[in-house]
Amino acid sequence: MSTSTEATEATEATDRPADATPVVDVAALLALLDGRHAAVREEARRNVAAHAGVLRDAETMDRTEFRERVKETVLALAATPQVGHGFPEQYGGGGDIGASIAAFETSAFGDLSVLVKVGVQFGLFGGAILQLGTQRHHDAYLADVVAGRLLGCFAMTETGHGSNVADLATTAVYDPATAEFVLTTPDDFARKDYIGNAAAHGEAAVVFAQLEVAGEQHGVHAFVVPIRVDGQPAPGVRIGDCGAKMGLPGVDNGRLWFDGVRVPRTALLNRFADVDEDGVYSSPIESRNKRFFTMLGTLVQGRVSVGGAGINAAKVALTIAVRYALRRRQFEAGDGAGEELLLDYGMHQRRLLPLLADTYALHFAQEVVAEQLHEVFSATGEEAEAGRRLLESRAAGTKALGTWHATRTIQECREACGGAGYLSVNRFAALKADTDVFATFEGDNHVLLQLVAKGLLTDYSGAFEEMDQFGLVRFVAATAVDTVVERTAVHKLFQSIRDLLPGGDEWDAEAGLLDTNYQLAMLRFREEHLLAGVARRLKRGMDDGEDPGAVFSRVQDHVIATARAHVERLVLEAFVDKVRALEDGDLKSALGLLVDLHALGRIEADRAWFMEHGRLSSQRSKAISREISGLLRRIRPLAGDLVDAFGVPAEALRSEELIG
């Protein structure tokens, strides 16, 4: 990682060869990764270690037993500060959303049923009351939620509607005669499905339903609804059990039906809309669509949390696989030297070390999202609204890439441990099964990338919340393609960084492969080109008089590719910014190698696109692969220290026979 002049200056300043192997200070790197919430993360690690027995119990208990075991663990955590960081202090919390994210994602080092049940109780159920409710709801519920005295659910998803929340079918009709809302599940497609905490333990639920007042529809709103009384289903509530799942056996996912369930007028979480005693509906947000998206936007913390959990689960897998590869020998290397360590084989390095670099990159990208979350939820007025749109987009994209990365990394690490990786004691069985759902809960990853693309194509305009996919097509069609591109941040970034590179218009052929500006320019060029291309295709389809839905469907793969390119650029920039801010020394040098490996890996993975678009010759493509191989050899001596710096507690790794 360098610019064309930095490499020379660094060598002169240290009197060390530019390719000297840096020495990693594990404690210093751990402190860097833990950031400003180091104490919170350390508390979460201690709790993971203290409750590591849950990992063993998951393999021996039946489903009913294990659900109770997980519940007990969640209640034990409720007696510590860990789960309440995001709630106001007057209700037993810590008043620090950033600390809440840090605690949650670090807890992903341990049992993931515990993690998800914590997320449902404190992040989704409690978070919805906090963010969508007002003082009366906070006073009535939050202290009991934080203490674990009131267990609850987040009842949004229906059998027939998951990602399409706006068209949920559950209804809440206001009855002015009794000042109550009547909640009804019209058919089985409208039942609330896959709801955590519902099957066994939840006593109340935040239920999302279509609000009707005096015959007028007002869209989706949220209500606090009792679902159990003295351990039995509340009147009018039917509860089912989703049964066995691929993973997360300790989470009691269930189904809910509401047969004319009546709740008082005050059960409506009324931060953004209310119904008064006279049965009059009012909202400070006139637009129904904007009101809906504003409501959903306040719940973005769950999405940020899941992305961070996926990245941290990948750290567990890498720690086990890399440590195993530094211990396990296979086949003689020649010259009577004995059998070779797995990590000394070039292919093993190719399998694991790029994933290690990507994990570091995503860690720092997630750090940016968490900081933005904290800032947005601390701001007010127009500043908060503009920041929230950017946050929603970045959180969606980082969650998508982070959870896909977890799935890929865990599988590769499992295979890299051979048959031993197939044993449950070595964590991979649970890691694979429990994280698989991360790609679809808190938003299906492909749908989330469509949200990212919508922000790019509209430049997060004030009309952002108003648009469905058809509105997006019409918006882009009415805008000049050059305007769509030129007003984006990436256009300005690409133009500014290209001026720093040698070669003028031939910058992509003249700049050094390890020049950070070259790496950034390549990803920025790709994003801008894809964005212009998808805008042009949308506009052409509408100009030809085609149906907006058909136009969008035809370019949907292009839309997703654009969003993914955008997020990959943001991830690289976050990594680069973090490393550039460090003082010169071994730590900066070590992380610089990971920056180079991550960046060149992104270019190599999409080399066909770059070659198709004239930005990568076949000779330069081969040179990138050679450079990656060289980087792998330089990172190999650092690999053990790099995974140790993740700070995964030994009790959570288990894998005694694999890693000692």
mmCIF file of all heavy atoms in Angstrom, residues 424-459:
data_model
loop_
_atom_site.group_PDB
_atom_site.id
_atom_site.type_symbol
_atom_site.label_atom_id
_atom_site.label_comp_id
_atom_site.label_asym_id
_atom_site.label_seq_id
_atom_site.Cartn_x
_atom_site.Cartn_y
_atom_site.Cartn_z
ATOM 1 N N SER A 424 -18.352 -31.610 14.867
ATOM 2 C CA SER A 424 -19.059 -30.504 15.512
ATOM 3 C C SER A 424 -18.206 -29.797 16.547
ATOM 4 O O SER A 424 -18.328 -28.580 16.744
ATOM 5 C CB SER A 424 -20.344 -31.016 16.173
ATOM 6 O OG SER A 424 -21.255 -31.473 15.200
ATOM 7 N N VAL A 425 -17.342 -30.549 17.232
ATOM 8 C CA VAL A 425 -16.525 -29.948 18.276
ATOM 9 C C VAL A 425 -15.638 -28.832 17.736
ATOM 10 O O VAL A 425 -15.205 -27.952 18.488
ATOM 11 C CB VAL A 425 -15.663 -31.027 18.984
ATOM 12 C CG1 VAL A 425 -14.571 -31.545 18.041
ATOM 13 C CG2 VAL A 425 -15.050 -30.483 20.268
ATOM 14 N N ASN A 426 -15.396 -28.833 16.447
ATOM 15 C CA ASN A 426 -14.515 -27.842 15.838
ATOM 16 C C ASN A 426 -15.255 -26.631 15.281
ATOM 17 O O ASN A 426 -14.697 -25.864 14.488
ATOM 18 C CB ASN A 426 -13.643 -28.510 14.767
ATOM 19 C CG ASN A 426 -12.712 -29.546 15.383
ATOM 20 O OD1 ASN A 426 -12.237 -29.365 16.496
ATOM 21 N ND2 ASN A 426 -12.477 -30.649 14.680
ATOM 22 N N ARG A 427 -16.502 -26.451 15.676
ATOM 23 C CA ARG A 427 -17.291 -25.226 15.493
ATOM 24 C C ARG A 427 -17.907 -25.032 14.117
ATOM 25 O O ARG A 427 -18.867 -24.288 13.962
ATOM 26 C CB ARG A 427 -16.470 -23.952 15.816
ATOM 27 C CG ARG A 427 -16.162 -23.655 17.257
ATOM 28 C CD ARG A 427 -17.356 -23.299 18.131
ATOM 29 N NE ARG A 427 -18.334 -22.387 17.648
ATOM 30 C CZ ARG A 427 -18.371 -21.084 17.898
ATOM 31 N NH1 ARG A 427 -17.423 -20.534 18.636
ATOM 32 N NH2 ARG A 427 -19.348 -20.335 17.447
ATOM 33 N N PHE A 428 -17.348 -25.657 13.085
ATOM 34 C CA PHE A 428 -17.806 -25.299 11.737
ATOM 35 C C PHE A 428 -19.246 -25.718 11.466
ATOM 36 O O PHE A 428 -19.962 -25.036 10.729
ATOM 37 C CB PHE A 428 -16.873 -25.891 10.671
ATOM 38 C CG PHE A 428 -15.515 -25.273 10.668
ATOM 39 C CD1 PHE A 428 -14.399 -25.999 11.055
ATOM 40 C CD2 PHE A 428 -15.343 -23.950 10.308
ATOM 41 C CE1 PHE A 428 -13.144 -25.429 11.069
ATOM 42 C CE2 PHE A 428 -14.091 -23.361 10.315
ATOM 43 C CZ PHE A 428 -12.980 -24.111 10.702
ATOM 44 N N ALA A 429 -19.686 -26.835 12.032
ATOM 45 C CA ALA A 429 -21.072 -27.269 11.801
ATOM 46 C C ALA A 429 -22.048 -26.195 12.250
ATOM 47 O O ALA A 429 -22.963 -25.801 11.507
ATOM 48 C CB ALA A 429 -21.335 -28.584 12.533
ATOM 49 N N ALA A 430 -21.849 -25.705 13.468
ATOM 50 C CA ALA A 430 -22.756 -24.669 13.985
ATOM 51 C C ALA A 430 -22.558 -23.345 13.258
ATOM 52 O O ALA A 430 -23.533 -22.643 12.963
ATOM 53 C CB ALA A 430 -22.531 -24.490 15.487
ATOM 54 N N LEU A 431 -21.305 -22.988 12.977
ATOM 55 C CA LEU A 431 -21.065 -21.724 12.273
ATOM 56 C C LEU A 431 -21.770 -21.712 10.923
ATOM 57 O O LEU A 431 -22.411 -20.718 10.544
ATOM 58 C CB LEU A 431 -19.565 -21.493 12.089
ATOM 59 C CG LEU A 431 -18.778 -21.049 13.321
ATOM 60 C CD1 LEU A 431 -17.278 -21.095 13.035
ATOM 61 C CD2 LEU A 431 -19.187 -19.640 13.752
ATOM 62 N N LYS A 432 -21.650 -22.806 10.172
ATOM 63 C CA LYS A 432 -22.299 -22.881 8.858
ATOM 64 C C LYS A 432 -23.817 -22.808 8.996
ATOM 65 O O LYS A 432 -24.479 -22.025 8.311
ATOM 66 C CB LYS A 432 -21.911 -24.189 8.144
ATOM 67 C CG LYS A 432 -20.590 -24.150 7.398
ATOM 68 C CD LYS A 432 -20.204 -25.535 6.905
ATOM 69 C CE LYS A 432 -21.229 -26.152 5.991
ATOM 70 N NZ LYS A 432 -21.344 -25.447 4.688
ATOM 71 N N ALA A 433 -24.355 -23.647 9.881
ATOM 72 C CA ALA A 433 -25.810 -23.738 9.991
ATOM 73 C C ALA A 433 -26.420 -22.460 10.557
ATOM 74 O O ALA A 433 -27.470 -22.000 10.094
ATOM 75 C CB ALA A 433 -26.177 -24.932 10.867
ATOM 76 N N ASP A 434 -25.749 -21.883 11.560
ATOM 77 C CA ASP A 434 -26.351 -20.741 12.258
ATOM 78 C C ASP A 434 -26.232 -19.429 11.503
ATOM 79 O O ASP A 434 -27.070 -18.536 11.674
ATOM 80 C CB ASP A 434 -25.697 -20.581 13.636
ATOM 81 C CG ASP A 434 -26.034 -21.720 14.586
ATOM 82 O OD1 ASP A 434 -26.973 -22.486 14.288
ATOM 83 O OD2 ASP A 434 -25.346 -21.854 15.619
ATOM 84 N N THR A 435 -25.195 -19.274 10.678
ATOM 85 C CA THR A 435 -25.025 -18.006 9.950
ATOM 86 C C THR A 435 -25.706 -18.003 8.590
ATOM 87 O O THR A 435 -25.822 -16.945 7.973
ATOM 88 C CB THR A 435 -23.538 -17.676 9.734
ATOM 89 O OG1 THR A 435 -22.919 -18.731 8.962
ATOM 90 C CG2 THR A 435 -22.803 -17.508 11.045
ATOM 91 N N ASP A 436 -26.152 -19.166 8.128
ATOM 92 C CA ASP A 436 -26.718 -19.219 6.780
ATOM 93 C C ASP A 436 -27.892 -18.261 6.619
ATOM 94 O O ASP A 436 -28.061 -17.615 5.577
ATOM 95 C CB ASP A 436 -27.155 -20.646 6.453
ATOM 96 C CG ASP A 436 -27.348 -20.866 4.968
ATOM 97 O OD1 ASP A 436 -26.347 -21.011 4.252
ATOM 98 O OD2 ASP A 436 -28.514 -20.873 4.524
ATOM 99 N N VAL A 437 -28.690 -18.135 7.660
ATOM 100 C CA VAL A 437 -29.877 -17.282 7.588
ATOM 101 C C VAL A 437 -29.508 -15.797 7.588
ATOM 102 O O VAL A 437 -30.334 -14.946 7.240
ATOM 103 C CB VAL A 437 -30.827 -17.604 8.761
ATOM 104 C CG1 VAL A 437 -30.282 -17.082 10.083
ATOM 105 C CG2 VAL A 437 -32.233 -17.081 8.508
ATOM 106 N N PHE A 438 -28.274 -15.459 7.953
ATOM 107 C CA PHE A 438 -27.877 -14.053 7.977
ATOM 108 C C PHE A 438 -28.036 -13.394 6.607
ATOM 109 O O PHE A 438 -28.224 -12.182 6.516
ATOM 110 C CB PHE A 438 -26.422 -13.914 8.431
ATOM 111 C CG PHE A 438 -26.185 -14.138 9.908
ATOM 112 C CD1 PHE A 438 -27.153 -14.715 10.716
ATOM 113 C CD2 PHE A 438 -24.983 -13.785 10.492
ATOM 114 C CE1 PHE A 438 -26.934 -14.931 12.072
ATOM 115 C CE2 PHE A 438 -24.745 -13.988 11.837
ATOM 116 C CZ PHE A 438 -25.725 -14.563 12.637
ATOM 117 N N ALA A 439 -27.944 -14.193 5.545
ATOM 118 C CA ALA A 439 -28.050 -13.632 4.198
ATOM 119 C C ALA A 439 -29.465 -13.204 3.849
ATOM 120 O O ALA A 439 -29.671 -12.454 2.884
ATOM 121 C CB ALA A 439 -27.554 -14.644 3.158
ATOM 122 N N THR A 440 -30.440 -13.649 4.642
ATOM 123 C CA THR A 440 -31.829 -13.305 4.313
ATOM 124 C C THR A 440 -32.580 -12.608 5.435
ATOM 125 O O THR A 440 -33.595 -11.967 5.172
ATOM 126 C CB THR A 440 -32.627 -14.558 3.896
ATOM 127 O OG1 THR A 440 -32.424 -15.599 4.861
ATOM 128 C CG2 THR A 440 -32.180 -15.054 2.532
ATOM 129 N N PHE A 441 -32.130 -12.719 6.698
ATOM 130 C CA PHE A 441 -32.897 -11.948 7.680
ATOM 131 C C PHE A 441 -32.291 -10.567 7.890
ATOM 132 O O PHE A 441 -31.163 -10.307 7.523
ATOM 133 C CB PHE A 441 -33.187 -12.712 8.951
ATOM 134 C CG PHE A 441 -32.112 -12.927 9.985
ATOM 135 C CD1 PHE A 441 -30.888 -12.286 9.976
ATOM 136 C CD2 PHE A 441 -32.367 -13.804 11.017
ATOM 137 C CE1 PHE A 441 -29.946 -12.493 10.961
ATOM 138 C CE2 PHE A 441 -31.427 -14.028 12.011
ATOM 139 C CZ PHE A 441 -30.218 -13.376 11.980
ATOM 140 N N GLU A 442 -33.143 -9.676 8.404
ATOM 141 C CA GLU A 442 -32.867 -8.235 8.372
ATOM 142 C C GLU A 442 -32.666 -7.748 6.934
ATOM 143 O O GLU A 442 -31.899 -6.822 6.685
ATOM 144 C CB GLU A 442 -31.656 -7.883 9.246
ATOM 145 C CG GLU A 442 -31.933 -7.925 10.734
ATOM 146 C CD GLU A 442 -33.046 -6.957 11.151
ATOM 147 O OE1 GLU A 442 -33.018 -5.789 10.737
ATOM 148 O OE2 GLU A 442 -33.945 -7.388 11.893
ATOM 149 N N GLY A 443 -33.343 -8.390 6.015
ATOM 150 C CA GLY A 443 -33.305 -7.993 4.609
ATOM 151 C C GLY A 443 -32.565 -8.992 3.751
ATOM 152 O O GLY A 443 -31.410 -9.328 4.026
ATOM 153 N N ASP A 444 -33.245 -9.526 2.732
ATOM 154 C CA ASP A 444 -32.583 -10.374 1.738
ATOM 155 C C ASP A 444 -31.474 -9.574 1.063
ATOM 156 O O ASP A 444 -31.669 -8.420 0.669
ATOM 157 C CB ASP A 444 -33.616 -10.832 0.704
ATOM 158 C CG ASP A 444 -32.982 -11.594 -0.439
ATOM 159 O OD1 ASP A 444 -32.465 -10.931 -1.368
ATOM 160 O OD2 ASP A 444 -32.984 -12.831 -0.409
ATOM 161 N N ASN A 445 -30.303 -10.171 0.923
ATOM 162 C CA ASN A 445 -29.146 -9.404 0.458
ATOM 163 C C ASN A 445 -29.330 -8.795 -0.923
ATOM 164 O O ASN A 445 -28.867 -7.677 -1.187
ATOM 165 C CB ASN A 445 -27.895 -10.282 0.485
ATOM 166 C CG ASN A 445 -27.359 -10.489 1.892
ATOM 167 O OD1 ASN A 445 -27.813 -9.835 2.835
ATOM 168 N ND2 ASN A 445 -26.397 -11.386 2.040
ATOM 169 N N HIS A 446 -30.000 -9.511 -1.825
ATOM 170 C CA HIS A 446 -30.208 -8.935 -3.159
ATOM 171 C C HIS A 446 -31.175 -7.750 -3.106
ATOM 172 O O HIS A 446 -30.986 -6.748 -3.805
ATOM 173 C CB HIS A 446 -30.723 -10.002 -4.125
ATOM 174 C CG HIS A 446 -29.679 -10.990 -4.535
ATOM 175 N ND1 HIS A 446 -29.512 -12.191 -3.904
ATOM 176 C CD2 HIS A 446 -28.725 -10.934 -5.503
ATOM 177 C CE1 HIS A 446 -28.508 -12.842 -4.474
ATOM 178 N NE2 HIS A 446 -28.020 -12.106 -5.434
ATOM 179 N N VAL A 447 -32.192 -7.866 -2.264
ATOM 180 C CA VAL A 447 -33.125 -6.748 -2.106
ATOM 181 C C VAL A 447 -32.399 -5.549 -1.484
ATOM 182 O O VAL A 447 -32.628 -4.391 -1.869
ATOM 183 C CB VAL A 447 -34.333 -7.165 -1.256
ATOM 184 C CG1 VAL A 447 -35.249 -5.978 -0.986
ATOM 185 C CG2 VAL A 447 -35.118 -8.279 -1.962
ATOM 186 N N LEU A 448 -31.520 -5.807 -0.537
ATOM 187 C CA LEU A 448 -30.761 -4.716 0.082
ATOM 188 C C LEU A 448 -29.878 -4.004 -0.934
ATOM 189 O O LEU A 448 -29.737 -2.773 -0.895
ATOM 190 C CB LEU A 448 -29.904 -5.259 1.227
ATOM 191 C CG LEU A 448 -30.662 -5.801 2.443
ATOM 192 C CD1 LEU A 448 -29.685 -6.254 3.512
ATOM 193 C CD2 LEU A 448 -31.617 -4.754 3.005
ATOM 194 N N LEU A 449 -29.293 -4.763 -1.844
ATOM 195 C CA LEU A 449 -28.460 -4.110 -2.861
ATOM 196 C C LEU A 449 -29.305 -3.274 -3.817
ATOM 197 O O LEU A 449 -28.831 -2.272 -4.364
ATOM 198 C CB LEU A 449 -27.634 -5.153 -3.621
ATOM 199 C CG LEU A 449 -26.489 -5.782 -2.811
ATOM 200 C CD1 LEU A 449 -25.717 -6.790 -3.666
ATOM 201 C CD2 LEU A 449 -25.532 -4.724 -2.270
ATOM 202 N N GLN A 450 -30.562 -3.650 -4.018
ATOM 203 C CA GLN A 450 -31.452 -2.785 -4.802
ATOM 204 C C GLN A 450 -31.680 -1.457 -4.085
ATOM 205 O O GLN A 450 -31.759 -0.400 -4.729
ATOM 206 C CB GLN A 450 -32.793 -3.480 -5.047
ATOM 207 C CG GLN A 450 -32.727 -4.607 -6.055
ATOM 208 C CD GLN A 450 -34.074 -5.230 -6.347
ATOM 209 O OE1 GLN A 450 -34.160 -6.244 -7.027
ATOM 210 N NE2 GLN A 450 -35.153 -4.644 -5.854
ATOM 211 N N LEU A 451 -31.772 -1.500 -2.759
ATOM 212 C CA LEU A 451 -31.898 -0.265 -1.991
ATOM 213 C C LEU A 451 -30.657 0.606 -2.172
ATOM 214 O O LEU A 451 -30.757 1.829 -2.318
ATOM 215 C CB LEU A 451 -32.091 -0.602 -0.510
ATOM 216 C CG LEU A 451 -32.104 0.579 0.465
ATOM 217 C CD1 LEU A 451 -33.309 1.476 0.211
ATOM 218 C CD2 LEU A 451 -32.118 0.086 1.909
ATOM 219 N N VAL A 452 -29.500 -0.020 -2.173
ATOM 220 C CA VAL A 452 -28.248 0.717 -2.401
ATOM 221 C C VAL A 452 -28.275 1.392 -3.768
ATOM 222 O O VAL A 452 -27.944 2.579 -3.905
ATOM 223 C CB VAL A 452 -27.040 -0.232 -2.303
ATOM 224 C CG1 VAL A 452 -25.748 0.486 -2.698
ATOM 225 C CG2 VAL A 452 -26.906 -0.796 -0.891
ATOM 226 N N ALA A 453 -28.674 0.646 -4.775
ATOM 227 C CA ALA A 453 -28.707 1.193 -6.134
ATOM 228 C C ALA A 453 -29.707 2.335 -6.252
ATOM 229 O O ALA A 453 -29.466 3.318 -6.971
ATOM 230 C CB ALA A 453 -29.049 0.087 -7.134
ATOM 231 N N LYS A 454 -30.824 2.228 -5.552
ATOM 232 C CA LYS A 454 -31.818 3.308 -5.598
ATOM 233 C C LYS A 454 -31.219 4.602 -5.080
ATOM 234 O O LYS A 454 -31.419 5.678 -5.655
ATOM 235 C CB LYS A 454 -33.055 2.922 -4.775
ATOM 236 C CG LYS A 454 -34.165 3.964 -4.845
ATOM 237 C CD LYS A 454 -35.455 3.477 -4.190
ATOM 238 C CE LYS A 454 -35.426 3.639 -2.701
ATOM 239 N NZ LYS A 454 -36.779 3.499 -2.085
ATOM 240 N N GLY A 455 -30.460 4.507 -3.996
ATOM 241 C CA GLY A 455 -29.804 5.695 -3.471
ATOM 242 C C GLY A 455 -28.823 6.296 -4.455
ATOM 243 O O GLY A 455 -28.751 7.523 -4.625
ATOM 244 N N LEU A 456 -28.058 5.435 -5.121
ATOM 245 C CA LEU A 456 -27.082 5.931 -6.098
ATOM 246 C C LEU A 456 -27.768 6.636 -7.266
ATOM 247 O O LEU A 456 -27.350 7.711 -7.696
ATOM 248 C CB LEU A 456 -26.248 4.764 -6.639
ATOM 249 C CG LEU A 456 -25.263 4.101 -5.677
ATOM 250 C CD1 LEU A 456 -24.664 2.863 -6.330
ATOM 251 C CD2 LEU A 456 -24.168 5.081 -5.286
ATOM 252 N N LEU A 457 -28.805 6.009 -7.784
ATOM 253 C CA LEU A 457 -29.463 6.533 -8.980
ATOM 254 C C LEU A 457 -30.259 7.799 -8.710
ATOM 255 O O LEU A 457 -30.495 8.594 -9.623
ATOM 256 C CB LEU A 457 -30.367 5.460 -9.583
ATOM 257 C CG LEU A 457 -29.622 4.304 -10.269
ATOM 258 C CD1 LEU A 457 -30.529 3.101 -10.449
ATOM 259 C CD2 LEU A 457 -29.056 4.755 -11.613
ATOM 260 N N THR A 458 -30.679 7.993 -7.473
ATOM 261 C CA THR A 458 -31.449 9.196 -7.138
ATOM 262 C C THR A 458 -30.622 10.215 -6.364
ATOM 263 O O THR A 458 -31.131 11.270 -6.000
ATOM 264 C CB THR A 458 -32.678 8.827 -6.281
ATOM 265 O OG1 THR A 458 -32.236 8.234 -5.052
ATOM 266 C CG2 THR A 458 -33.577 7.845 -7.017
ATOM 267 N N ASP A 459 -29.362 9.872 -6.105
ATOM 268 C CA ASP A 459 -28.483 10.741 -5.319
ATOM 269 C C ASP A 459 -29.103 11.042 -3.958
ATOM 270 O O ASP A 459 -28.956 12.133 -3.415
ATOM 271 C CB ASP A 459 -28.174 12.044 -6.074
ATOM 272 C CG ASP A 459 -27.029 12.827 -5.440
ATOM 273 O OD1 ASP A 459 -26.118 12.187 -4.893
ATOM 274 O OD2 ASP A 459 -27.069 14.070 -5.480
#
